[in-house]
Amino acid sequence: MATSPSHSASFTILSSIILYIFLSTSTARAAGGRWTLLQKSTGVSAMHMQLLPNDRVIIFDRTDTGASNISLPNGKCRLDPRDTVLKKDCTAHSVEYDVVANKIRPLMVLTDVWCSSGSLMPDGRLVQTGGFNDGDHVVRVYDTFCNGVCDWKEIQLGLINRRWYATNHLLPDGRQIVIGGRRQFNYEFYPKSGNSDKAYNMPFLAQTNDPNNVENNLYPFVFLNTDGYLFIFANNRAILLDYMKNRVVKTFPEIVGGEPRNYPSSGSAVLLPLHIVKGNVAVVEVMICGGAPKGGYVNAMNGKFEGALSSCGRIRISDPEPKWFMETMPLNRVMGDMKLLPNGDVLIINGAASGTAGWELGRNPVLRPVIYHPNKAVNARFEVQNPSTVPRMYHSTASLVRDGRVLVGGSNPHIYYNFTKVLFPTELRLEAFSPSYLDPTLAGSRPKIILPATHTSIGYGKNIVVRFTVQNKVILNLISVTMVSPSFTTHAYSMNQRLLVLDGGNTAKSVGKSTYEVNAVAPPSGNIAPAANYMLFVVHQDIPSEGIWVNIH
Ligand SMILES: *[C@@H]1O[C@H](CO)[C@@H](O)[C@H](O)[C@H]1NC(C)=O
Ligand SMILES: *[C@@H]1O[C@H](CO)[C@@H](O)[C@H](O)[C@H]1NC(C)=O
C-alpha cells in the first residue's frame, strides 16, 4: 500500500525533528564528555592507580580495612600477625584491571600499602614504596611483562626510613627519588647504590610542616624541571632542588593568598605541556588548583566544613623571576585530580566542594569535571563538563588510558569498608570519563596511527616517522605529536605526570589516500623525558588518536 503524500510529509517532518533532537543531544554530549560504568565492583576501592605499559591498571587500597569485596584466587589467604584487623584474610587488597578486556584479576599484597607511593621504572616495572605499619619500609615490585600472571614481590627493609604519604619521581639516571612522608623531612633513592646509600635531610619539609600538626605538606608536588633539578611544592611554596648535591638552587615566592595546597588540604597540580622546539623547551610551567583553606582541617574536625578553594596558580618556573598568575575555577574543589589529556588540555575531576581530605571530612561532592585549555584566552580557559552520578571523595583516583578515556575509581572516607548507613559509602564502581574528543561525531577527523608499531624503542633525539590515516579532510597545520607518561595516582596527585609536544609536528604531509606522515623528533634528553615508556599520540584539531606505547632511552 502506497503511503499518502500527507502521511509521508508529516513522517519527514517528524523524522527531521527526531534527527534534530538526536543531533542536538549528541552535540550537548560532544561539548561535555560522556560517562560510562565499566565495573560494578573492582573488589577493592581504588585508593592508588597506575597504568602499566601493557594496558593494565594496578589498583590497590590498604591491607588493614578488614575483608574487601574480592577473594584471593585458589583459596589463598594472607596470614599476617601484624595486621591490625584480620590476622587471616582471604580477600585481595590489590587487583589488576585489564583495560582492553574490561576484566579484574585479584593480586596478593602482603604488607600494608596504605597511603603509599610509586613509579614505573624505565623497563616498565612498577616499583611501589612504603605504606603503614608492617609495610612502611617495604619496596614492592610488580613485573609488568609476564603475560598476565605476575604478582607483587616484596622487599622488606627496602627503604631506609618509613614512608607514609611520600612522593616518588623517576629520575634521568633511572632511579626513583622518594621524598618526605609523615614526620620524614628527608629523601632517599631506589634502587640503592650500595651500603653507603643514605637518606638526605630536607629542611624545606620541616619548614613547611604546619605548626598545628596538620602538616599540609604531605604528598609534596614534585616535577622534574628541564634543567635536571626538581621543583618541589609543599604547603604554599616551592623550591628547586639539586638532589645530587642536596642543595636548594632556587626559592619560589609563596602562592598568592598563601593557602595550603598539599595533603590534607589536598589541591592538585600538573606540569603543563612541555613544547620541544629544536631540542629546547622555552617555557616550563606548573599549575596548582584548589584545596581546603588554611585551618580547614581543624574546622572540619570540629564539624565546620568550609568551602574549598576555587583558585589556581600558574608559575613559569623557567623565568628568571617567576611569579604566580592566579585564575578562578568555575567550581571550587578539594581532592580533585588534575590529569593531562593527550591534546594538552587539563582535566580537573573528582573531589568535593567543602571540607577536606581525611576520614569523614569531605562534603558536597563535585560531580562535574572541568576541562582547562592552557593556551586559550584567559577568560575562555575553563569548560564545565557533564556530571557523573557517583561521588568521588577521599581516596578516589583517576587515570588516563591509551584510548584517551580517563578511568575514575575509588572513594572511601571510612576506616573500613562501609556500604550502608554512611554519608558517602565505600565506592567500588569503576567509571570512564570520555572527553568530547571521543564523541562518535568526530570519528572522521580522528587520526589512526599505523606506524611505528606499538612498543617501539626510540633513542633520544632520533626521528620518529609517524604514519597515520584520517578519513575526513586534514588541516595539516593542526597536527601535533604528543607523548604522555603513565602516572602513579593517589590522594589527588599524579606522580611522574608529564606531557611532551614533540618537535616536527609541522612536517605533516599527505603520502597517499587518507594517509599522512609526520617526522617527529624524540625528546633530546632524560632531563626533558626520563627514559621510560610513554604513550604517543597524533593529535588533529585537538582530537587525539589512540596512543601507541614507545620506549624512550
Ligand atoms: C561485592 O561483590 C559481589 C560479587 O562478588 C557483588 O554482587 C556486590 O554488589 C559487591 N558489593 C559492592 C558493594 O560492590
Ligand atoms: C563501618 O563498618 C565497620 C565494620 O566493618 C563498623 O565497625 C563501623 O562502625 C562502620 N562505620 C560506620 C561509620 O558506620
Side-chain angles (χ1 to χ4, degrees), residues 142-195:
Y142 191 86
D143 279 321
T144 298
F145 297 106
C146 63
N147 297 321
V149 295
C150 15
D151 212 331
W152 290 103
K153 295 192 185 91
E154 309 209 6
I155 303 162
Q156 302 298 321
L157 299 178
L159 295 173
I160 295 168
N161 289 326
R162 73 192 288 256
R163 300 288 168 191
W164 195 32
Y165 301 87
T167 291
N168 297 24
H169 205 292
L170 184 63
L171 299 173
D173 64 13
R175 293 180 298 169
Q176 294 187 30
I177 189 167
V178 188
I179 300 176
R182 189 157 258 172
R183 294 184 280 280
Q184 293 297 340
F185 309 132
N186 57 72
Y187 62 89
E188 63 184 284
F189 299 95
Y190 193 84
K192 305 292 175 202
S193 54
N195 294 337

Side-chain angles (χ1 to χ4, degrees), residues 267-347:
S268 192
V270 286
L271 179 67
L272 289 174
L274 299 172
H275 294 257
I276 308 172
V277 179
K278 295 194 166 71
N280 268 311
V281 174
V283 177
V284 183
E285 199 168 7
V286 168
M287 184 177 188
I288 296 177
C289 290
K294 213 176 261 177
Y297 183 84
V298 173
N299 286 342
M301 291 288 278
N302 294 318
K304 184 167 179 281
F305 304 98
E306 287 189 62
L309 303 173
S310 59
S311 61
C312 295
R314 275 174 75 154
I315 189 163
R316 290 181 173 214
I317 66 175
S318 49
D319 279 1
E321 284 181 49
K323 286 187 184 61
W324 290 97
F325 172 75
M326 303 304 287
E327 290 176 281
T328 305
M329 294 187 282
L331 303 169
N332 56 343
R333 197 182 301 251
V334 57
M335 299 180 278
D337 277 282
M338 292 173 78
K339 303 302 296 187
L340 293 166
L341 298 176
N343 64 2
D345 285 344
V346 181
L347 177 68

Side-chain angles (χ1 to χ4, degrees), residues 40-43 69-70 419 426 428-429:
K40 284 189 192 139
S41 173
T42 48
N69 200 45
I70 186 168
F419 300 109
T426 302
L428 302 180
R429 280 175 288 181

Side-chain angles (χ1 to χ4, degrees), residues 519-535:
N519 286 304
V521 186
S525 69
N527 286 352
I528 290 178
N533 292 283
Y534 293 81
M535 292 174 270

Side-chain angles (χ1 to χ4, degrees), residues 65 360 414-422:
T65 49
E360 319 290 344
H414 319 294
I415 300 180
Y416 302 114
Y417 278 16
N418 296 86
F419 300 109
T420 55
K421 299 188 199 132
V422 286

